[in-house]
Each structure stands twice: as structure tokens, then as C-alpha cells.
Amino acid sequence: MANTPEEKLDALTADEARAELERLGAEIAHHDALYHQQDAPEISDADYDALRRRYEALEALHPGLAPKDGPSARVGAAPSEKFAKVRHRAPMLSLGNAFSDGDVSEFVGRIRRFLNLKDDEPVAITAEPKIDGLSLSLRYEDGALVQAATRGDGTEGENVTTNARTIHDIPQVLKGEFPPVFEVRGEVYMSHADFEALNARQEAAGQKIFANPRNAAAGSLRQLDPAITAARPLRFFAYSWGEVSSLPADTQMGVVRAFADWGFQVNPLMERCDGVEDLLAHYRAIEAQRATLGYDIDGVVYKVDRLDWQARLGFVSRAPRWAIAHKFPAERATTILNAIDIQVGRTGSLTPVARLEPVTVGGVVVSNATLHNEDYIRGFGGDGLPIRGGTAEAPVDLRVGDTVTVQRAGDVIPQIVAVDISKRPPAAKPYQFPSTCPECGSHAVREDGEAVRRCTGGLICPAQAVERLKHFVSRGAFDIEGLGAKQVEAFWDKGWVREPADIFTLKARFGSQGSEIQRLSSTEGWGSKSAENLFAAIDERRVIPLDRLIYGLGIRHVGETSARLLARRYGDWENFEASMTAAADREGEAWATLLDIDGVGEILAGAVVEFFAESQNRTLLNNLLRQLEVQHMEAALSDSAVSGKTVVFTGTLEKMTRAEAKARAEALGAKVSGSVSKKTDIVVAGPGAGSKLKKAEELGVAVMTEDEWLALVSG
Ligand code: IVH
């Protein structure tokens, strides 16, 4: 590197300094891109640090000369858009929740039934604290740490390898005997003492104060500058694994013991329990120590100990059947309801929000709580029954000025669970729910049988239009990197993006450098490079899979799963659009075909058809489709021998339980039905099969034994 030595820096004239800052800035940006986006650095961390130090020294000598969007401004700005993505080789799952003792015995009962265990067969289940941090996957090859990735959406996370290497609890190399490939997973967290000391330092330096240890841990791990991570006291507990070439034991407990041998910290409170009583006793023991552990935990995780049973139990959507998180009860505090505001959602729903006198609940400052809808404010729950201890005749409503109890459970939005009527100010009046939209003034109507009042303004309502755009760019939809909710709002305010198609014409309107966007101040996160990056990210999404497009439209009731069902059924956009238009005739065939999709009911179907019947939506769609190439959609797991097939299991199965057979078949893309018809493709018949087998034979449906079926699905 041809750098002027450090001591000569102060000899530079202002012009020379400006030129040098520019040169260094470009060089740093170049290395940032290699490191964060391409994961292929050309220089060592030490050399990179030297570049940065030089830049900072020069900047300190000439305050005001450094470009506003230079490297110093970029540190800590929206790091999620700067880390390279890592696709997890085994998905990082979440856990189902248990909130009561009853939920725990149901969990154990489900396992026993699924595995078809005899009443006297014991099920060993481990119990360990649920650490309130963020999960991290560490890949070791031949015992050396090669990659660290955050959970992200479970499928794709962020590459934080350099940062993870600075964490003392994470071994760079494993000790003892280990398989050639092993992904250790666990939780990064911060202790209470370290958290308080960090916040004290942050405050003294005039820097951001963290709300809780979890946020501090996340913020510290996801730093662009590994030196910052290194200076933050992060810790790590190992408790799980991803891709492995082999396992060091055949039980959960055994693998965790191996983690300890390899040099990891494992939680000392993990225990192997037999049965529900034992689990609950250990849960209470952990709960009793919660306040003195020195780090945050939010429950106890139970896991079936035998790994062969874990494998048989498998997963339901994103969570394992063999594990569950038994959460600690929610935390509560008392405060004052200062105001009730109305927010307008993507589908026009008017949602009341409580503005509270800020109060700390379980370590987090709470100043808003959800109020759901007008009935909830009046004192009635979703089932129409009185809540907060009121009666149908004397409901307990909420009024501005009331003293209320707020409850917070984990990441759930805080709720108001009680009102102290004795403290109600005499002048407090019942809340009048608005009958017009506070954003656009259109009528807000509540349809029969609906709890929600909706603005009828459609896309003329700015709130609805913005919310739809936010949804359009959200993760399961177009997922445009660098264009999140915040940017959508800013672009809306400037009048740059008013409908989805506008996103794709930004570049043509602003030029490839995005000069207008650059003019947004750097405090809003835009530098010279980021406009170009944004255009690149937008261009990447001009080719879009049909299911993402359908989901992105933000049609009421159409979530990611139903969007996928629709996309699979109709295959391409032209067919989908034509079919939805034709389905407006509820007597016709298109409507019947739509309802025939397994998982599509009248409400969803009606919402889709209505969406297409709206001329405003058609205009938006036409504009948008001109910008896109929509990819066709294939049926799921089309490489599986049974995908798309309808299967019926009948008689006694000997190698697996019914539940297990069904789950496996569905995971391979088959549909499992309870009765045999012309639509049935395969009947798997065990001993004792009766009428269903007979019917299959009559209809000429393929019949196979359990062994033949197993050979087919594992082949
Ligand atoms: S096991 C397949 N064990 O909880 C099961 N998770 O709600 C993988 N977590 O994403 C998770 N402590 O970040 C497991 N002792 C523990 C845990 C734990 C905290 C977190 C983890 C996971 C989340 C699921």
C-alpha cells in the first residue's frame, strides 16, 4: 500500500487531505464490498484496520473535509444489508411453545402416541434453560471454525464469521475427537453485569443505550467492524447442531457432553428427566434460580433424548415435534393510558393502539400496547365474552386516563390485561371509535360478523397504499435488499414511489447513480454506493417466482402458504389472472376450480376474486407486470416419487405410526386422505385392511404393502 507514513499526515494541505480522504474512502469501500458482499477479502484484517485508522486520523485533523457518506458514517448503519448471506445446509428451526403444565403433558402424550410407545416404556427428555439471546450456527471442518452464521429467516442467515471469532467462548479449533464436518449451534448472549457496564460506557460516550441484554448481544454481533464486536463481552452456550458428517453420541445429552469435551460452554442446568412430573420439577427449579443466574432466560426447553426418536418424530412446519419451549409466565406492570391512537393497516383495518406512560416491564420499556379493535376497548374479547373481569351487563371498558396493567410475554406485543376502575378520573369518558378513516377521511365500516372496522378508501387512502408497498417489499414477497419499511416511507413522502411499479422505474427516472436518492441525507442511511446497490437489488427482482408475486400483492387472507398453493395450481401468471377474472362468476367452473384447491376456502377465494374485480388494482397490476418477468411454478418436490399423489393408509402399519406415515408422505409432497375415491393414487394396506382396500380394488387404484411403500419413498 502506497500510504504516506502516519507522521506526515499533518503536513498535508486541505486540498491534499481532501484528495487523500477520497482515495482512502474508495479503497475502504472496495475492501468492504470484497469482505462483506463477496466474502473474498484481498487484504488482512490488520491491513484493513490500518487503512481505517489512517482515514480516521486524517478526518480528525480535518473535520468537515470527509465526505458525509464516507467510511466513518457507514459504521453500524443497517448492518443487515452489509453482511453476506449464508444458506443454512440444515434449516435453523424455531420451537413450539408450552405455557402451562397441561401443555407439557400434552407434548409428552403426543410424542408417546406418535412413536406408539407402550404405557410402561419410559421417554427420557432433557430440560435446559432457554437462553434469551440470538442463535448462531458454527461450522467446523476438520476441527477448525470455518463459518459462523446468524439464524436469519431460518433458511438464510448472515455471515458473521469474523465477528464470531472474537467471542471467547467460541473455540477456533476443537479439542479431542470430532467428526470431519460438524455445525455446532447455540446461543450468543450477554450477562447482566456486562450489559450494565456496556450501557454505562455507551452512555458516557454519548452512544446508543441498549434496551436489554438480548438487543445488546444482537447489536454487538452484527457489527460491520469486528473490532467493535471484540470489545463487547459476548458469550456462547452450545446446545444443538446443523449439518454433521457423523454424531458423537446417540442421545441429546451425549452430544452436548461431547460439545463440552470439544471446548464449548454448555449450560450447567441441563438435566435428563423421566416423564412429565420430573420435567415440571426441573422447570420450577430453574425458574427459582432465574433471578440469580446472571443472564436472561425466558423458559425451559425440553428435548427427546434419544436421537433415533428425534429423527422419527421429525418436524411440523418450522419446529421439531421432539422439542418444545416451556415459557415462563408473562411479566406485568402498572401504568397510565395516556391516549388511544388509530393505525390504518394494509387492508384498511383501523387498529387502536394504547399510548402509555412509559413503564419497565421485565427489563423493557413499554410505551405502546395493542388494543385490537373497538369491542376490545369496550370490554369484550374475540369470542364476544367480557374480558378484564367485567360482565356482559357491566363490561370493563378502557378510557384515556385509566390506570392499567400491561403484560409482556417474550417478543409478543404488550397487552393491557386489567384496569383499576377505582383510580378512574371522574371526567374520563367512554372512548368513541371513529367512523371515518383518520388518514383519508373515507367512511370506515364494520361489516356484519367482523370485529374490525375498515377504511373504504382503498388505494386513495395513503396509509393503505404505504402499508401495501411495505408488504410488497417484505421478506416473503419481493424482499428487495436495501428497501425496507423505513425507505418505503421516505420514498413515499418524497412522492417517488406510489405504487409497486414505481420501484422498478426509479433507476430510469433518477439515473444509474440515483442522484436524487443520494440527496437524502446520510443519516437516513444513503451513501453514494447504496443507491447503486439498491438499483442492483431491484433489478435482481425483475424476475420473480409466481408465488412471491401473488403473496406480494397483499390480498387479504393470502399468506405465504396460500400464495404458494395458488401458484402451484395455476402455474403461470396469465393463467392465474384469467382464472381469477373468470372466477367472479360464482356459478362457473373457474370458481369451482379455485375452491377445489386443498387449503383454499370461500373467504380466501372471495378475497382474491374481489381483488381482481377492483379496477384500481387492475391498473396497478398492469403497470407492475410490464416491469416483471414472472417465473412459472412447479409442483413441490417434483423429484419425489409420490409428490402430488393422493395416498390413503389403511389397516395396521407395523413399521411406523399413522401420524408418522402421514407426516413423511406430506413432507415428500403427497396428499394423505382418509377415504378412497377415484382421485386416490395409492392405497397402502397393512394387515386387517377392509372396506378401503376393497374399494381401491374396485376402482383399480394401486395398492401396496407398507414395505413396498417404504421402498418407494426411500428410493
Ligand atoms: S434448541 C431444533 N435450545 O430458542 C431446536 N433453542 O424459539 C433448535 N434457544 O431459535 C433450538 N435456548 O435461538 C434450543 N437451550 C436451547 C435454547 C434455544 C435458546 C432459542 C434458539 C431458537 C429459539 C426457538
Side-chain angles (χ1 to χ4, degrees):
M1 238 168 298
N3 277 337
T4 328
E6 207 87 28
E7 57 275 18
K8 285 218 194 137
L9 280 180
D10 54 3
L12 298 181
T13 65
D15 277 347
E16 285 165 350
R18 189 180 290 118
E20 179 67 356
L21 277 166
E22 245 181 61
R23 187 189 72 78
L24 284 167
E27 195 169 349
I28 292 170
H30 167 73
H31 292 302
D32 279 347
L34 287 175
Y35 174 84
H36 293 298
Q37 283 152 24
Q38 294 157 36
D39 209 15
E42 281 174 359
I43 58 171
S44 70
D45 288 358
D47 283 348
Y48 176 83
D49 288 345
L51 272 179
R52 279 205 86 106
R53 273 201 305 277
R54 183 174 166 78
Y55 183 92
E56 278 152 19
L58 196 54
E59 186 178 39
L61 282 171
H62 298 274
L65 279 193
K68 288 229 162 27
D69 55 7
S72 314
R74 284 202 304 270
V75 174
S80 65
E81 282 150 28
K82 303 288 171 93
F83 288 105
K85 295 269 167 69
V86 173
R87 186 156 270 277
H88 297 299
R89 292 173 213 232
M92 287 185 83
L93 303 158
S94 56
L95 292 170
N97 289 324
F99 295 103
S100 65
D101 294 2
D103 291 348
V104 178
S105 58
E106 265 177 40
F107 165 68
V108 177
R110 266 199 309 276
I111 290 169
R112 301 194 73 96
R113 281 194 303 279
F114 194 96
L115 296 172
N116 201 15
L117 299 183
K118 299 217 171 59
D119 287 347
D120 55 356
E121 171 123 36
V123 189
I125 297 179
T126 60
E128 69 201 69
K130 183 169 191 297
I131 316 298
D132 198 4
L134 65 150
S135 46
L136 190 66
S137 187
L138 304 168
R139 186 175 177 86
Y140 289 85
E141 286 174 8
D142 296 322
L145 176 63
V146 294
Q147 188 172 67
T150 61
R151 178 171 187 273
D153 61 3
T155 310
E156 218 175 45
E158 291 165 348
N159 186 340
V160 291
T161 314
T162 319
N163 292 352
R165 286 191 199 285
T166 69
I167 300 175
H168 183 256
D169 287 348
I170 296 180
Q172 301 283 330
V173 285
L174 303 181
K175 290 193 285 192
E177 304 252 322
F178 42 77
V181 173
F182 206 102
E183 289 178 3
V184 175
R185 290 179 176 172
E187 202 84 354
V188 174
Y189 68 102
M190 195 179 279
S191 76
H192 291 157
D194 288 338
F195 166 69
E196 272 155 31
L198 170 66
N199 262 355
R201 288 202 303 275
Q202 293 284 104
E203 192 170 5
Q207 306 262 312
K208 176 189 164 87
I209 302 292
F210 295 102
N212 55 48
R214 207 197 83 83
N215 287 357
S220 302
L221 183 66
R222 297 165 75 248
Q223 279 292 334
L224 280 186
D225 181 356
I228 299 184
T229 309
R232 303 270 175 87
L234 294 175
R235 296 165 192 246
F236 182 79
F237 275 129
Y239 54 63
S240 166
W241 57 92
E243 191 186 51
V244 298
S245 52
S246 63
L247 283 163
D250 54 12
T251 60
Q252 183 74 30
M253 200 67 174
V255 177
V256 171
R257 286 207 186 103
F259 289 169
D261 294 340
W262 295 345
F264 286 98
Q265 299 298 318
V266 300
N267 196 284
L269 298 178
M270 178 173 182
E271 247 178 44
R272 192 172 176 275
C273 301
D274 284 311
V276 179
E277 296 292 303
D278 208 10
L279 287 173
L280 293 176
H282 194 49
Y283 171 86
R284 302 222 156 84
I286 292 176
E287 192 179 22
Q289 296 176 67
R290 187 179 182 189
T292 53
L293 285 177
Y295 50 87
D296 277 350
I297 64 172
D298 55 353
V300 175
V301 183
Y302 305 137
K303 300 172 187 169
V304 169
D305 197 34
R306 272 178 62 166
L307 301 186
D308 57 338
W309 284 357
Q310 287 191 4
R312 278 179 60 193
L313 285 157
F315 308 92
V316 222
S317 61
R318 319 251 346 126
R321 271 198 198 84
W322 45 266
I324 201 162
H326 188 181
K327 293 299 205 56
F328 293 134
E331 300 186 72
R332 297 178 169 204
T334 305
T335 189
I336 306 289
L337 175 57
N338 283 335
I340 296 176
D341 284 352
I342 302 287
Q343 284 178 350
V344 182
R346 166 165 63 87
T347 56
S349 54
L350 266 46
T351 307
V353 181
R355 304 297 178 199
L356 304 166
E357 191 59 36
V359 63
T360 305
V361 190
V364 173
V365 179
V366 170
S367 45
N368 302 312
T370 174
L371 292 174
H372 303 288
N373 54 52
E374 51 193 290
D375 290 346
Y376 186 86
I377 299 177
R378 284 175 44 235
F380 296 94
D383 49 8
L385 297 174
I387 51 175
R388 296 187 284 265
T391 62
E393 295 71 36
V396 177
D397 68 340
L398 292 175
R399 302 184 186 184
V400 171
D402 270 341
T403 299
V404 296
T405 304
V406 261
Q407 169 171 306
R408 194 185 74 90
D411 283 339
V412 181
I413 306 164
Q415 310 261 348
I416 291 180
V417 291
V419 193
D420 187 345
I421 301 284
S422 73
K423 296 204 175 125
R424 176 168 283 172
K429 293 205 175 55
Y431 178 73
Q432 265 320 111
F433 204 91
S435 56
T436 55
C437 172
E439 298 283 342
C440 71
S442 302
H443 259 314
V445 299
R446 185 171 168 183
E447 278 168 19
D448 266 358
E450 283 244 348
V452 176
R453 192 172 282 273
R454 282 174 207 281
C455 160
T456 52
L459 287 169
I460 65 144
C461 175
Q464 288 189 53
V466 173
E467 292 307 316
R468 277 212 212 172
L469 281 167
K470 287 186 193 167
H471 175 81
F472 183 82
V473 300
S474 68
R475 190 168 248 163
F478 276 65
D479 191 20
I480 296 172
E481 206 169 327
L483 192 60
K486 207 178 97 193
Q487 290 82 4
V488 164
E489 265 174 24
F491 288 12
W492 172 276
D493 288 343
K494 299 254 172 208
W496 295 343
V497 173
R498 288 289 156 99
E499 58 177 277
D502 293 344
I503 294 171
F504 296 93
T505 58
L506 264 179
K507 184 159 125 189
R509 284 181 282 143
F510 290 168
S512 65
Q513 301 288 312
S515 49
E516 299 286 332
I517 295 177
Q518 281 180 40
R519 252 173 250 150
L520 279 184
S521 79
S522 59
T523 54
E524 285 176 59
W526 294 100
S528 52
K529 196 90 190 123
S530 42
E532 282 175 42
N533 289 345
L534 174 65
F535 293 146
I538 290 172
D539 281 344
E540 247 176 61
R541 291 290 189 257
R542 286 183 196 271
V543 179
I544 193 86
L546 180 59
D547 59 332
R548 279 185 177 253
L549 169 62
I550 296 177
Y551 174 64
L553 299 178
I555 304 169
R556 232 172 114 191
H557 306 295
V558 179
E560 284 182 75
T561 309
S562 30
R564 209 167 303 129
L565 292 175
L566 292 167
R568 275 201 197 121
R569 177 67 186 78
Y570 294 101
D572 61 48
W573 174 262
E574 291 69 27
N575 186 21
F576 177 57
E577 189 180 28
S579 305
M580 293 311 102
T581 312
D585 170 11
R586 303 230 172 166
E587 308 290 306
E589 199 174 318
W591 174 253
T593 310
L594 177 57
L595 281 182
D596 194 42
I597 303 175
D598 201 21
V600 174
E602 298 242 354
I603 293 180
L604 194 155
V608 183
V609 170
E610 267 171 42
F611 181 90
F612 278 88
E614 179 87 49
S615 70
Q616 282 176 326
N617 290 334
R618 291 309 267 254
T619 311
L620 292 191
L621 279 175
N622 290 338
N623 296 345
L624 176 62
L625 266 301
R626 273 200 288 279
Q627 305 294 331
L628 301 178
E629 180 191 322
V630 185
Q631 286 174 321
H632 298 204
M633 187 81 185
E634 307 269 316
L637 287 164
S638 46
D639 50 345
S640 132
V642 298
S643 95
K645 301 256 161 59
T646 300
V647 184
V648 175
F649 292 98
T650 182
T652 312
L653 299 178
E654 289 167 326
K655 304 262 163 67
M656 52 193 172
T657 63
R658 275 293 168 83
E660 193 175 355
K662 180 169 190 285
R664 245 182 104 183
E666 283 172 352
L668 291 166
K671 185 182 154 198
V672 178
S673 165
S675 58
V676 177
S677 73
K678 287 200 297 286
K679 289 189 185 161
T680 311
D681 296 296
I682 302 170
V683 169
V684 181
S691 62
K692 290 184 194 170
L693 175 59
K694 202 162 147 244
K695 184 148 186 212
E697 282 161 351
E698 281 166 18
L699 292 170
V701 173
V703 176
M704 52 178 76
T705 64
E706 190 180 359
D707 282 337
E708 285 167 342
W709 164 259
L710 286 171
L712 177 68
V713 296
S714 51

